[in-house]
Coordinates of all heavy atoms in Angstrom, one line a residue:
M19 N 106.7 98.3 104.9 CA 106.4 98.9 103.7 C 105.7 97.9 102.7 O 106.0 96.7 102.8 CB 107.7 99.4 103.0 CG 107.4 100.1 101.7 SD 109.0 100.6 100.8 CE 109.4 102.1 101.7
K20 N 104.7 98.4 102.0 CA 104.0 97.6 101.1 C 104.2 98.1 99.7 O 104.0 99.3 99.4 CB 102.5 97.6 101.4 CG 102.1 96.6 102.4 CD 100.6 96.6 102.4 CE 100.1 95.9 103.6 NZ 98.7 96.1 103.9
I21 N 104.5 97.2 98.7 CA 104.6 97.6 97.3 C 103.5 96.8 96.6 O 103.5 95.6 96.6 CB 106.0 97.4 96.7 CG1 107.0 98.2 97.5 CG2 106.0 97.8 95.2 CD1 108.4 97.8 97.1
N22 N 102.6 97.5 95.9 CA 101.7 96.9 95.0 C 102.0 97.2 93.6 O 102.1 98.4 93.2 CB 100.3 97.3 95.3 CG 99.8 96.8 96.6 OD1 99.7 95.6 96.8 ND2 99.5 97.7 97.5
V23 N 102.2 96.3 92.7 CA 102.4 96.5 91.3 C 101.1 96.3 90.6 O 100.5 95.2 90.7 CB 103.6 95.7 90.7 CG1 103.7 95.9 89.2 CG2 104.9 95.9 91.5
C24 N 100.6 97.2 89.8 CA 99.4 97.0 89.1 C 99.5 96.0 88.1 O 100.4 96.0 87.2 CB 99.0 98.4 88.5 SG 97.4 98.2 87.6
I25 N 98.6 95.0 88.1 CA 98.7 94.0 87.1 C 97.3 94.0 86.3 O 96.9 93.0 85.8 CB 99.0 92.6 87.7 CG1 98.0 92.2 88.9 CG2 100.4 92.5 88.2 CD1 98.1 90.8 89.3
G26 N 96.7 95.1 86.3 CA 95.5 95.3 85.5 C 95.9 95.2 84.0 O 97.1 95.2 83.7
S27 N 94.9 95.1 83.2 CA 95.2 94.7 81.8 C 96.1 95.8 81.1 O 97.0 95.4 80.4 CB 94.0 94.4 80.9 OG 93.0 95.4 81.2
S28 N 95.9 97.1 81.4 CA 96.7 98.1 80.7 C 98.1 98.0 81.2 O 99.1 98.0 80.4 CB 96.0 99.4 81.0 OG 96.9 100.4 80.5
C29 N 98.3 97.9 82.5 CA 99.7 97.8 83.0 C 100.3 96.5 82.6 O 101.6 96.4 82.4 CB 99.7 98.0 84.5 SG 99.4 99.7 85.0
H30 N 99.6 95.5 82.5 CA 100.1 94.2 82.1 C 100.7 94.3 80.7 O 101.8 93.9 80.4 CB 99.0 93.1 82.1 CG 99.4 91.8 81.6 ND1 100.2 90.9 82.3 CD2 99.3 91.2 80.3 CE1 100.5 89.9 81.6 NE2 99.9 90.0 80.4
L31 N 100.0 95.0 79.8 CA 100.5 95.2 78.5 C 101.8 96.1 78.4 O 102.6 96.0 77.5 CB 99.4 95.9 77.6 CG 98.2 95.0 77.2 CD1 97.2 95.8 76.5 CD2 98.7 93.8 76.4
K32 N 101.9 97.0 79.4 CA 103.1 97.8 79.5 C 104.2 97.2 80.2 O 105.3 97.8 80.5 CB 102.7 99.1 80.2 CG 101.8 100.0 79.3 CD 101.4 101.2 80.1 CE 100.1 101.8 79.6 NZ 99.4 102.5 80.7
G33 N 104.1 95.9 80.6 CA 105.2 95.2 81.2 C 105.2 95.0 82.7 O 106.3 94.9 83.3
S34 N 104.0 95.0 83.3 CA 104.1 94.9 84.8 C 104.8 93.6 85.3 O 105.3 93.6 86.4 CB 102.7 95.0 85.4 OG 101.8 94.1 84.9
R35 N 104.7 92.6 84.5 CA 105.3 91.3 84.9 C 106.9 91.5 85.1 O 107.5 91.0 86.0 CB 105.0 90.2 84.0 CG 105.1 88.8 84.6 CD 104.5 87.8 83.7 NE 105.3 87.7 82.4 CZ 106.3 86.9 82.2 NH1 106.6 86.0 83.1 NH2 106.9 86.9 81.0
V36 N 107.4 92.3 84.2 CA 108.9 92.5 84.2 C 109.2 93.4 85.5 O 110.2 93.2 86.2 CB 109.3 93.3 82.9 CG1 110.8 93.7 83.1 CG2 109.2 92.4 81.7
I37 N 108.3 94.4 85.7 CA 108.5 95.2 86.9 C 108.4 94.4 88.2 O 109.2 94.6 89.1 CB 107.5 96.4 86.9 CG1 107.6 97.2 85.6 CG2 107.6 97.3 88.1 CD1 108.9 97.9 85.4
V38 N 107.5 93.5 88.3 CA 107.4 92.6 89.4 C 108.7 91.8 89.6 O 109.2 91.8 90.7 CB 106.2 91.6 89.3 CG1 106.2 90.6 90.4 CG2 104.9 92.4 89.4
E39 N 109.2 91.3 88.5 CA 110.4 90.5 88.6 C 111.6 91.4 89.0 O 112.5 91.0 89.8 CB 110.7 89.9 87.2 CG 109.8 88.7 87.0 CD 109.9 88.2 85.5 OE1 110.7 88.7 84.7 OE2 109.1 87.3 85.2
M40 N 111.6 92.6 88.5 CA 112.7 93.5 88.9 C 112.7 93.8 90.4 O 113.7 93.9 91.1 CB 112.7 94.8 88.1 CG 113.1 94.5 86.6 SD 113.0 96.0 85.6 CE 114.6 96.6 85.7
F41 N 111.4 94.0 90.9 CA 111.3 94.2 92.4 C 111.8 93.0 93.1 O 112.5 93.1 94.1 CB 109.8 94.6 92.7 CG 109.5 96.0 92.7 CD1 108.6 96.5 91.8 CD2 110.2 96.9 93.6 CE1 108.3 97.9 91.8 CE2 109.9 98.3 93.6 CZ 108.9 98.8 92.7
Q42 N 111.3 91.8 92.7 CA 111.7 90.6 93.4 C 113.2 90.5 93.5 O 113.8 90.2 94.5 CB 111.1 89.4 92.7 CG 109.6 89.2 92.9 CD 109.0 88.2 92.0 OE1 109.5 87.9 91.0 NE2 107.9 87.7 92.5
D43 N 113.9 90.8 92.3 CA 115.4 90.6 92.3 C 116.0 91.7 93.2 O 116.9 91.3 94.0 CB 115.9 90.8 90.9 CG 115.6 89.6 90.0 OD1 115.1 88.6 90.5 OD2 115.8 89.7 88.8
R44 N 115.6 92.9 93.1 CA 116.2 94.0 93.9 C 116.0 93.8 95.4 O 116.9 93.9 96.2 CB 115.7 95.4 93.5 CG 116.4 96.1 92.4 CD 117.9 96.3 92.6 NE 118.3 97.3 93.6 CZ 118.5 98.5 93.4 NH1 118.3 99.0 92.2 NH2 118.9 99.3 94.3
L45 N 114.8 93.4 95.7 CA 114.5 93.2 97.2 C 115.3 92.1 97.7 O 115.8 92.1 98.9 CB 113.0 92.9 97.4 CG 112.1 94.1 97.0 CD1 110.6 93.7 97.1 CD2 112.3 95.3 98.0
K46 N 115.5 91.0 96.9 CA 116.3 89.9 97.3 C 117.8 90.3 97.5 O 118.4 90.1 98.5 CB 116.2 88.8 96.3 CG 116.4 87.4 96.9 CD 115.7 86.4 96.0 CE 116.6 85.2 95.6 NZ 116.1 84.5 94.5
N47 N 118.3 91.0 96.5 CA 119.7 91.5 96.6 C 119.9 92.4 97.8 O 121.0 92.4 98.3 CB 120.0 92.3 95.3 CG 120.4 91.4 94.2 OD1 120.7 90.3 94.4 ND2 120.4 92.0 93.0
D48 N 118.9 93.2 98.1 CA 119.1 94.2 99.1 C 118.6 93.6 100.5 O 118.6 94.3 101.5 CB 118.3 95.5 98.8 CG 118.8 96.2 97.6 OD1 119.9 95.8 97.1 OD2 118.2 97.2 97.2
N49 N 118.3 92.3 100.5 CA 117.9 91.7 101.7 C 116.7 92.3 102.4 O 116.6 92.5 103.6 CB 119.0 91.6 102.8 CG 119.9 90.5 102.5 OD1 119.4 89.4 102.1 ND2 121.2 90.6 102.8
L50 N 115.7 92.7 101.5 CA 114.6 93.5 102.0 C 113.3 92.6 101.9 O 112.2 93.1 102.3 CB 114.4 94.8 101.3 CG 115.4 95.8 101.5 CD1 115.2 97.0 100.6 CD2 115.5 96.3 102.9
T51 N 113.4 91.4 101.6 CA 112.2 90.6 101.3 C 111.4 90.4 102.6 O 110.2 90.3 102.6 CB 112.5 89.2 100.7 OG1 113.6 88.6 101.4 CG2 112.8 89.3 99.3
E52 N 112.0 90.4 103.8 CA 111.3 90.3 105.0 C 110.6 91.5 105.4 O 109.6 91.5 106.1 CB 112.3 89.9 106.2 CG 113.1 88.7 106.0 CD 112.3 87.4 106.3 OE1 111.9 87.4 107.4 OE2 112.2 86.6 105.4
M53 N 111.1 92.6 105.0 CA 110.6 93.9 105.5 C 109.6 94.5 104.5 O 108.8 95.3 104.9 CB 111.8 94.9 105.6 CG 112.2 95.1 107.0 SD 114.0 94.9 107.1 CE 114.6 96.3 106.2
I54 N 109.6 94.1 103.3 CA 108.8 94.7 102.3 C 107.8 93.7 101.7 O 108.3 92.7 101.2 CB 109.6 95.5 101.2 CG1 110.4 96.6 101.9 CG2 108.7 96.0 100.1 CD1 111.2 97.4 100.9
E55 N 106.6 94.0 101.7 CA 105.6 93.1 101.2 C 105.3 93.5 99.7 O 104.8 94.6 99.5 CB 104.3 93.2 102.0 CG 103.3 92.1 101.8 CD 102.0 92.5 102.6 OE1 102.2 92.8 103.8 OE2 101.0 92.4 102.0
L56 N 105.6 92.6 98.8 CA 105.4 92.8 97.4 C 104.1 92.1 96.9 O 104.1 90.9 97.1 CB 106.6 92.4 96.6 CG 106.6 92.5 95.1 CD1 106.5 94.0 94.7 CD2 107.8 91.9 94.5
S57 N 103.2 92.8 96.3 CA 102.1 92.0 95.8 C 101.5 92.7 94.5 O 101.9 93.9 94.2 CB 101.0 91.8 96.8 OG 100.7 93.0 97.4
G58 N 100.7 92.1 93.9 CA 100.0 92.6 92.7 C 98.7 93.3 93.1 O 98.2 93.1 94.2
S59 N 98.3 94.2 92.2 CA 97.0 94.9 92.5 C 96.2 95.0 91.3 O 96.7 95.0 90.2 CB 97.3 96.2 93.2 OG 97.0 97.3 92.3
F60 N 94.9 95.2 91.5 CA 94.1 95.4 90.3 C 94.3 96.9 89.9 O 95.1 97.6 90.5 CB 92.6 95.2 90.7 CG 92.3 93.8 91.0 CD1 91.9 93.4 92.3 CD2 92.4 92.9 90.0 CE1 91.6 92.1 92.5 CE2 92.1 91.5 90.3 CZ 91.7 91.1 91.5
C61 N 93.7 97.3 88.8 CA 93.9 98.6 88.2 C 93.9 99.7 89.3 O 93.0 99.7 90.1 CB 92.7 98.8 87.2 SG 92.9 100.5 86.5
L62 N 94.9 100.5 89.2 CA 95.0 101.6 90.2 C 94.4 102.9 89.7 O 94.5 103.9 90.3 CB 96.5 101.8 90.5 CG 97.2 100.7 91.3 CD1 98.7 101.0 91.4 CD2 96.6 100.5 92.7
G63 N 93.7 102.8 88.5 CA 93.0 103.9 88.0 C 93.9 105.0 87.3 O 93.5 106.1 87.1
K64 N 95.1 104.5 86.9 CA 96.0 105.5 86.3 C 96.5 104.9 84.9 O 97.7 105.0 84.6 CB 97.3 105.7 87.2 CG 96.9 106.2 88.6 CD 96.6 107.7 88.6 CE 96.3 108.1 90.0 NZ 95.7 109.4 90.0
C65 N 95.6 104.3 84.2 CA 96.0 103.6 83.0 C 96.6 104.5 82.0 O 97.3 104.0 81.0 CB 94.8 102.9 82.4 SG 93.9 101.8 83.5
N66 N 96.3 105.8 82.1 CA 96.8 106.7 81.0 C 98.3 107.0 81.1 O 98.8 107.5 80.1 CB 96.1 108.1 81.1 CG 94.6 107.9 80.7 OD1 94.3 107.0 80.0 ND2 93.8 108.8 81.2
S67 N 98.9 106.6 82.1 CA 100.4 106.9 82.2 C 101.2 106.1 81.2 O 100.7 105.1 80.7 CB 100.9 106.8 83.6 OG 101.1 105.5 83.9
Q68 N 102.4 106.5 81.0 CA 103.2 105.9 80.0 C 103.7 104.5 80.4 O 104.0 103.7 79.5 CB 104.5 106.7 79.7 CG 104.2 108.0 79.0 CD 103.7 107.8 77.6 OE1 104.3 107.0 76.9 NE2 102.7 108.5 77.2
G69 N 103.8 104.2 81.6 CA 104.3 103.0 82.1 C 103.4 102.3 83.1 O 102.2 102.6 83.2
V70 N 104.0 101.5 83.9 CA 103.2 100.7 84.9 C 102.9 101.5 86.1 O 103.8 102.4 86.5 CB 104.0 99.4 85.2 CG1 103.4 98.6 86.3 CG2 104.2 98.6 84.0
S71 N 101.8 101.4 86.7 CA 101.5 102.1 87.9 C 101.8 101.1 89.1 O 101.6 99.9 89.1 CB 100.0 102.4 88.0 OG 99.6 103.2 86.9
I72 N 102.4 101.7 90.2 CA 102.6 101.0 91.4 C 102.1 101.8 92.6 O 101.9 103.0 92.4 CB 104.1 100.6 91.6 CG1 105.0 101.9 91.8 CG2 104.7 99.9 90.4 CD1 106.4 101.6 92.3
K73 N 102.0 101.1 93.7 CA 101.6 101.9 94.9 C 102.6 101.5 96.0 O 102.9 100.3 96.2 CB 100.2 101.4 95.3 CG 99.6 102.3 96.3 CD 98.1 102.2 96.3 CE 97.7 101.3 97.4 NZ 96.5 101.4 98.0
V74 N 103.2 102.5 96.6 CA 104.2 102.2 97.7 C 103.5 102.8 98.9 O 103.3 104.0 99.0 CB 105.5 102.9 97.4 CG1 106.5 102.7 98.6 CG2 106.2 102.4 96.1
D75 N 103.1 101.9 99.8 CA 102.3 102.3 100.9 C 101.0 103.0 100.3 O 100.3 102.4 99.6 CB 103.0 103.1 102.0 CG 104.0 102.2 102.7 OD1 103.8 101.0 102.8 OD2 105.0 102.7 103.2
D76 N 100.8 104.3 100.7 CA 99.6 104.9 100.1 C 99.8 105.8 98.9 O 98.9 106.5 98.5 CB 98.9 105.7 101.2 CG 98.3 104.8 102.3 OD1 97.8 103.7 101.9 OD2 98.3 105.2 103.5
E77 N 101.0 105.8 98.4 CA 101.4 106.7 97.4 C 101.4 106.0 96.0 O 102.1 104.9 95.9 CB 102.8 107.3 97.6 CG 103.1 108.4 96.6 CD 104.4 109.1 97.0 OE1 105.0 108.7 98.1 OE2 104.8 110.0 96.4
I78 N 100.6 106.5 95.1 CA 100.6 105.9 93.7 C 101.7 106.5 92.9 O 101.8 107.8 92.8 CB 99.2 106.0 93.1 CG1 98.2 105.2 93.9 CG2 99.3 105.5 91.6 CD1 96.8 105.2 93.3
I79 N 102.5 105.7 92.2 CA 103.5 106.2 91.4 C 103.3 105.6 90.0 O 103.1 104.4 89.8 CB 104.9 105.8 91.8 CG1 105.2 106.3 93.2 CG2 106.0 106.2 90.9 CD1 105.7 105.3 94.2
C80 N 103.2 106.5 89.0 CA 102.8 106.1 87.6 C 104.1 106.1 86.8 O 105.0 106.8 87.0 CB 101.8 107.1 87.0 SG 100.3 107.2 88.0
G81 N 104.0 105.4 85.7 CA 105.0 105.5 84.6 C 106.2 104.8 84.9 O 107.3 105.2 84.5
V82 N 106.1 103.7 85.7 CA 107.3 102.9 86.0 C 107.7 102.0 84.7 O 106.8 101.3 84.2 CB 107.1 102.0 87.2 CG1 108.4 101.2 87.5 CG2 106.7 102.8 88.4
T83 N 108.9 102.1 84.3 CA 109.4 101.2 83.2 C 110.7 100.6 83.6 O 111.2 100.9 84.6 CB 109.7 102.1 81.9 OG1 110.8 103.0 82.2 CG2 108.5 102.9 81.5
K84 N 111.1 99.6 82.8 CA 112.4 99.0 83.2 C 113.6 100.0 83.1 O 114.5 99.8 83.8 CB 112.7 97.7 82.5 CG 112.7 97.7 81.0 CD 113.0 96.3 80.5 CE 112.9 96.0 79.1 NZ 112.9 97.0 78.1
D85 N 113.4 101.0 82.3 CA 114.4 102.0 82.2 C 114.5 103.0 83.4 O 115.6 103.4 83.8 CB 114.2 102.9 80.9 CG 114.4 102.0 79.7 OD1 115.1 101.1 79.7 OD2 113.6 102.3 78.7
N86 N 113.4 103.3 84.0 CA 113.5 104.2 85.2 C 113.3 103.4 86.5 O 113.2 104.0 87.5 CB 112.5 105.3 85.1 CG 111.0 104.9 85.2 OD1 110.7 103.8 85.5 ND2 110.1 105.8 84.8
F87 N 113.3 102.1 86.4 CA 113.1 101.3 87.6 C 114.0 101.6 88.7 O 113.7 101.8 89.9 CB 113.1 99.8 87.3 CG 113.0 98.9 88.5 CD1 111.8 98.6 89.0 CD2 114.1 98.5 89.2 CE1 111.6 97.8 90.1 CE2 114.0 97.7 90.3 CZ 112.8 97.4 90.8
N88 N 115.3 101.7 88.4 CA 116.3 101.9 89.5 C 116.2 103.2 90.1 O 116.3 103.3 91.4 CB 117.7 101.8 88.9 CG 118.1 100.3 88.7 OD1 117.6 99.4 89.4 ND2 119.0 100.0 87.7
E89 N 115.8 104.2 89.3 CA 115.6 105.6 89.9 C 114.4 105.5 90.9 O 114.5 106.1 92.0 CB 115.3 106.5 88.7 CG 115.4 107.9 88.9 CD 114.9 108.6 87.7 OE1 115.3 108.2 86.5 OE2 114.1 109.5 87.8
I90 N 113.3 104.9 90.4 CA 112.1 104.8 91.3 C 112.4 104.0 92.5 O 112.0 104.4 93.6 CB 111.0 104.1 90.5 CG1 110.7 104.9 89.2 CG2 109.7 103.9 91.4 CD1 109.6 105.8 89.1
Y91 N 113.1 102.9 92.4 CA 113.4 102.1 93.5 C 114.2 102.9 94.5 O 114.0 102.8 95.7 CB 114.2 100.9 93.0 CG 114.5 99.9 94.1 CD1 113.7 98.8 94.3 CD2 115.7 100.0 94.9 CE1 113.9 97.9 95.3 CE2 116.0 99.1 95.9 CZ 115.1 98.0 96.1 OH 115.4 97.1 97.1
G92 N 115.2 103.6 94.0 CA 116.1 104.4 94.9 C 115.3 105.5 95.6 O 115.5 105.7 96.8
K93 N 114.4 106.1 94.9 CA 113.7 107.2 95.5 C 112.6 106.7 96.5 O 112.5 107.3 97.6 CB 113.0 107.9 94.4 CG 112.3 109.2 94.8 CD 112.0 110.1 93.6 CE 111.1 111.2 94.0 NZ 110.4 111.8 92.8
Y94 N 111.9 105.7 96.2 CA 110.8 105.3 97.1 C 111.0 104.1 98.0 O 110.4 104.0 99.0 CB 109.5 105.0 96.2 CG 109.0 106.2 95.5 CD1 109.4 106.5 94.2 CD2 108.2 107.1 96.1 CE1 109.0 107.6 93.5 CE2 107.7 108.2 95.5 CZ 108.1 108.5 94.2 OH 107.7 109.6 93.5
V95 N 112.0 103.3 97.6 CA 112.1 102.0 98.4 C 113.4 102.1 99.2 O 113.4 102.0 100.4 CB 112.1 100.8 97.5 CG1 112.3 99.5 98.3 CG2 110.8 100.7 96.7
S96 N 114.6 102.2 98.6 CA 115.8 102.2 99.4 C 116.1 103.6 99.9 O 116.9 103.7 100.8 CB 117.0 101.7 98.5 OG 117.4 102.7 97.6
K97 N 115.4 104.6 99.4 CA 115.6 106.0 99.8 C 117.1 106.5 99.8 O 117.5 107.3 100.6 CB 115.1 106.2 101.3 CG 113.8 105.5 101.5 CD 112.6 106.5 101.5 CE 111.4 105.9 102.0 NZ 110.2 106.1 101.4
E98 N 117.8 105.9 98.9 CA 119.2 106.3 98.8 C 119.4 107.2 97.6 O 120.5 107.6 97.3 CB 120.1 105.0 98.7 CG 120.3 104.4 100.1 CD 120.8 103.0 100.0 OE1 121.2 102.6 98.9 OE2 120.8 102.3 101.0
G99 N 118.4 107.5 96.9 CA 118.5 108.4 95.7 C 118.9 107.7 94.5 O 119.2 106.6 94.4
Ligands
FES117 S1 95.7 98.8 84.6 FE1 97.3 99.7 85.8 S2 96.5 101.6 86.4 FE2 94.9 100.7 85.2

């Protein structure tokens, strides 16, 4: 699995750096760093959303914030809900 966190200027202003750190921490805690490739990406073309845009494999997910991070992580990454 590949996770790209948008680090374009709009998402940067909405806190993409924090989201990257949260992914790093969670993936480490869950022992998934070997299995999941985390990287930054240029603008994903969804700047209008309320939060940061990310891409999980080929799916773009908009509006990621530190408040809904765990929910998003559970739904798309750990698939445990
Ligand atoms: S800067 Fe992130 S979607 Fe445009």
